[in-house]
Amino acid sequence: MLVDTYGRVATDLRVSLTDRCNLRCTYCMPEEGLQWLAKPDLLSDDEIVRLVDIAVSLLGVTEVRFTGGEPLLRPGLVGIVERCAALVPRPRLSLTTNGIGLKRTAVALGAAGLNRVNVSLDTLRPDVFTTLTRRDRHHDVIAGLEAAREAGLTPVKINTVLMPGLNDDEAPELLAWAIENAYELRFIEQMPLDAQHGWKRDGMITAGDILTSLRTRFTLTPEGDDRRGSAPAERWIVDGGPHQVGVIASVTRPFCHACDRTRLTADGQVRNCLFAREETDLRAALRSDAPDEDIAALWRQAMWGKKAGSGLDDPSFLQPDRPMSAIGG
């Protein structure tokens, strides 16, 4: 197992497949992009599958989420999914994507064994989308969402970040649209994960702000902590059900006490927290022909040292030294 000194057990693995992205979201990276990892620094397809195998067969991982950057940019993605779906025990497989390219890949991913997708979409307005992402690709994301639903990659979850002065008035409209299209909407407080370190706590839209906005149109009933478990989202039943909406309050209401995640970066580093400043290098162990048990031991050691919390609830919190595109959201 991947247990830490506070008794938390990590069963959910987030695997970043690439640091590259085809959008330039203002809360993630600068307009000119970043200095991408060199190809030799990235884990190969074989290395990724081997590490996932170690995680599920030796360390008790049951859920694997492929992330980026933008994971659909990984040339071998379908093959990686297929090989991980064949592992014993078989993990539940999901993908976090910006949705661009999903229209052409959803069927193949479903056939390979992917269970579901999370798609990032912050607005229903194409002009606002262009402002937020610096790319005119709103129509591609909508088409990707539809393709995922039709391919059975359900529940299709939508991740939304509200930004002051841009889309902070869209919460009720987004929820109505998600319900109409059978998507599960989750609002996420903006976190300090931008490469340019432009995040300011006093300028963010909080979970409280989001719920206040939603209640202007909907009746929200809390699902309750007994149903939440280790899920990051507090879920609310909309207008008596059956539809729900989630709010991930990473900054104002951290959920570190129930965290069950371990993270693998695109260059083979273990992070025991999204906001950790320490990493454990598994790539070097892989490439030095270390046996699986030795790699598993390194991973256990990395998780044992996990801190009690992320520190986001501390007003003096300093942003991590690597942007989200390099870590995996």
Side-chain angles (χ1 to χ4, degrees):
M1 292 195 303
L2 291 171
V3 63
D4 65 34
T5 54
Y6 298 91
R8 296 168 297 191
V9 179
T11 58
D12 185 333
L13 169 61
R14 304 298 169 97
V15 182
S16 176
L17 298 180
T18 178
D19 59 331
R20 297 175 184 267
C21 189
N22 43 12
L23 296 180
R24 296 292 181 270
C25 296
T26 56
Y27 52 77
C28 184
M29 68 172 71
E31 186 171 4
E32 64 275 13
L34 300 167
Q35 182 65 47
W36 308 123
L37 293 167
K39 188 173 181 179
D41 293 336
L42 294 171
L43 293 175
S44 68
D45 293 2
D46 288 344
E47 289 171 335
I48 290 169
V49 174
R50 184 181 172 197
L51 287 175
V52 173
D53 188 11
I54 291 170
V56 301
S57 64
L58 298 179
L59 298 173
V61 165
T62 58
E63 304 262 349
V64 177
R65 173 89 60 85
F66 298 111
T67 70
E70 174 44 52
L72 292 181
L73 295 179
R74 178 87 185 200
L77 173 61
V78 172
I80 291 171
V81 170
E82 185 173 31
R83 293 170 65 185
C84 289
L87 295 175
V88 179
R90 188 217 197 272
R92 184 166 174 81
L93 303 174
S94 60
L95 178 81
T96 294
T97 172
N98 62 29
I100 297 173
L102 194 53
K103 180 179 180 179
R104 66 174 182 272
T105 56
V107 171
L109 287 168
L114 190 72
N115 295 109
R116 64 170 191 84
V117 295
N118 283 30
V119 179
S120 298
L121 178 66
D122 301 322
T123 178
L124 296 177
R125 305 168 190 169
D127 59 326
V128 175
F129 182 91
T130 301
T131 299
L132 279 168
T133 68
R134 305 184 179 104
R135 299 290 187 271
D136 182 15
R137 305 298 297 272
H138 187 264
H139 57 288
D140 292 316
V141 180
I142 299 299
L145 281 162
E146 294 171 353
R149 183 185 60 209
E150 292 168 5
L153 299 175
T154 55
V156 176
K157 295 184 179 181
I158 295 177
N159 295 337
T160 297
V161 177
L162 297 180
M163 303 284 288
L166 287 172
N167 62 341
D168 52 342
D169 60 337
E170 286 195 64
E173 182 182 3
L174 279 159
L175 179 54
W177 175 81
I179 289 172
E180 180 183 353
N181 288 278
Y183 303 136
E184 185 175 322
L185 181 62
R186 304 191 310 173
F187 292 97
I188 304 175
E189 287 182 337
Q190 184 193 2
M191 293 179 283
L193 292 168
D194 55 314
Q196 60 270 39
H197 290 192
W199 178 84
K200 295 185 183 299
R201 180 183 298 270
D202 57 5
M204 60 174 284
I205 306 299
T206 67
D209 298 330
I210 295 164
L211 293 170
T212 297
S213 179
L214 291 174
R215 287 185 172 120
T216 64
R217 184 166 173 179
F218 302 97
T219 298
L220 302 180
T221 305
E223 184 183 56
D225 289 341
D226 57 327
R227 295 286 302 279
R228 182 180 179 183
S230 61
E234 294 179 80
R235 294 198 299 183
W236 304 79
I237 300 167
V238 180
D239 291 343
H243 302 290
Q244 298 174 332
V245 63
V247 180
I248 300 178
S250 302
V251 179
T252 61
R253 295 202 285 268
F255 40 87
C256 301
H257 68 283
C259 182
D260 65 349
R261 298 179 184 180
T262 182
R263 298 176 183 274
L264 185 64
T265 68
D267 54 350
Q269 312 299 306
V270 167
R271 282 204 167 206
N272 57 31
C273 174
L274 185 60
F275 299 96
R277 291 182 174 274
E278 302 81 22
E279 297 178 333
T280 298
D281 187 1
L282 298 188
R283 184 187 62 194
L286 282 171
R287 295 180 181 179
S288 63
D289 297 323
D292 289 357
E293 284 289 358
D294 288 0
I295 294 171
L298 281 174
W299 208 327
R300 290 189 192 97
Q301 183 178 11
M303 295 306 297
W304 183 252
K306 186 172 183 174
K307 296 179 179 178
S310 65
L312 278 176
D313 52 348
D314 182 350
S316 65
F317 174 80
L318 297 175
Q319 290 165 297
D321 52 353
R322 289 229 270 174
M324 183 162 55
S325 62
I327 300 169

